[in-house]
């Protein structure tokens, strides 16, 4: 099975860059993503792209470089940026990823409802700091068997 490339989308501080580091077994260090970061298997996008109508259309263009689009929402989100049934706008597989699942103010069930409403069928729950759920995403992407 071919290694799939994933594009991570979510608001600022949702955990996209931290997840990228965890998926690639790198040391977790906070880095603010200022531009679209490409690697061999991950496209890490700035949160401002999903938070702004002016930049949002660029995500559609970048999605053509990916095999899978990961919609991220942290468990401590106060609201969802994703419109109902938004996944049908993408001609790629779209998965949901809930980050910060062990956050003291987290509500994993609410985050999962929001991702399902957006149209995500496969949803992964992760804590990048502890590594919880990371291997399930890696397996889904064909990075490990």
């Amino acid at each position: 099975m071919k290694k799939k490339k994933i594009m991570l989308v979510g608001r600022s501080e949702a955990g996209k860059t931290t997840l990228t580091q965890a998926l690639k077994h790198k040391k977790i260090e906070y880095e603010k993503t200022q531009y679209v970061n490409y690697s061999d298997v991950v496209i890490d996008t700035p949160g401002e792209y999903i938070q702004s109508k002016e930049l949002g259309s660029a995500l559609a263009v970048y999605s053509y470089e990916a095999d899978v689009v990961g919609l991220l929402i942290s468990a401590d989100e106060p609201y969802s940026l994703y419109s109902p049934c938004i996944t049908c706008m993408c001609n790629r597989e779209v998965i949901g990823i809930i980050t910060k699942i062990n956050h003291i103010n987290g509500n994993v069930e609410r985050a999962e409802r929001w991702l399902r409403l957006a149209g995500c069928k496969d949803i992964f729950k992760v804590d990048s700091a502890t590594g919880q759920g990371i291997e399930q995403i890696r397996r889904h992407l064909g990075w490990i068997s």
Side-chain angles (χ1 to χ4, degrees):
M1 180 164 145
K2 168 189 160 224
K3 274 186 167 184
K4 295 179 184 174
K5 181 180 270 193
I6 186 168
M7 180 176 89
L8 301 176
V9 177
R11 77 164 188 84
S12 296
E13 298 183 20
K16 298 176 300 296
T17 301
T18 304
L19 177 59
T20 297
Q21 294 168 353
L23 286 169
K24 297 179 91 180
H25 297 299
K26 293 190 173 185
K27 182 179 176 191
I28 303 295
E29 296 179 315
Y30 177 76
E31 294 176 23
K32 171 66 181 113
T33 303
Q34 300 293 325
Y35 52 88
V36 176
N37 291 319
Y38 283 86
S39 74
D40 56 338
V41 288
V42 179
I43 302 170
D44 182 11
T45 64
E48 291 79 6
Y49 279 49
I50 192 74
Q51 292 171 238
S52 165
K53 275 202 285 187
E54 291 79 25
L55 297 171
S57 59
L59 292 173
V61 174
Y62 288 114
S63 72
Y64 288 104
E65 300 290 326
D67 301 302
V68 176
V69 175
L71 297 185
L72 270 74
I73 193 163
S74 67
D76 67 334
E77 290 283 347
Y79 58 89
S80 173
L81 287 175
Y82 307 118
S83 300
C85 302
I86 193 71
T87 60
C88 69
M89 301 298 287
C90 185
N91 67 354
R92 301 287 186 265
E93 175 189 5
V94 181
I95 63 172
I97 303 171
I98 303 169
T99 59
K100 304 179 187 180
I101 59 171
N102 295 316
H103 192 283
I104 192 165
N105 296 322
N107 186 332
V108 174
E109 293 78 22
R110 179 181 62 198
E112 183 171 355
R113 279 194 309 274
W114 286 337
L115 288 171
R116 294 222 183 271
L117 183 62
C120 297
K121 291 177 181 50
D122 292 323
I123 296 179
F124 298 87
K125 300 168 186 170
V126 301
D127 183 324
S128 296
T130 66
Q132 185 178 349
I134 299 298
E135 294 308 303
Q136 287 86 351
I137 296 174
R138 291 175 56 80
R139 190 169 294 109
H140 182 83
L141 296 172
W143 298 4
I144 57 176
S145 33

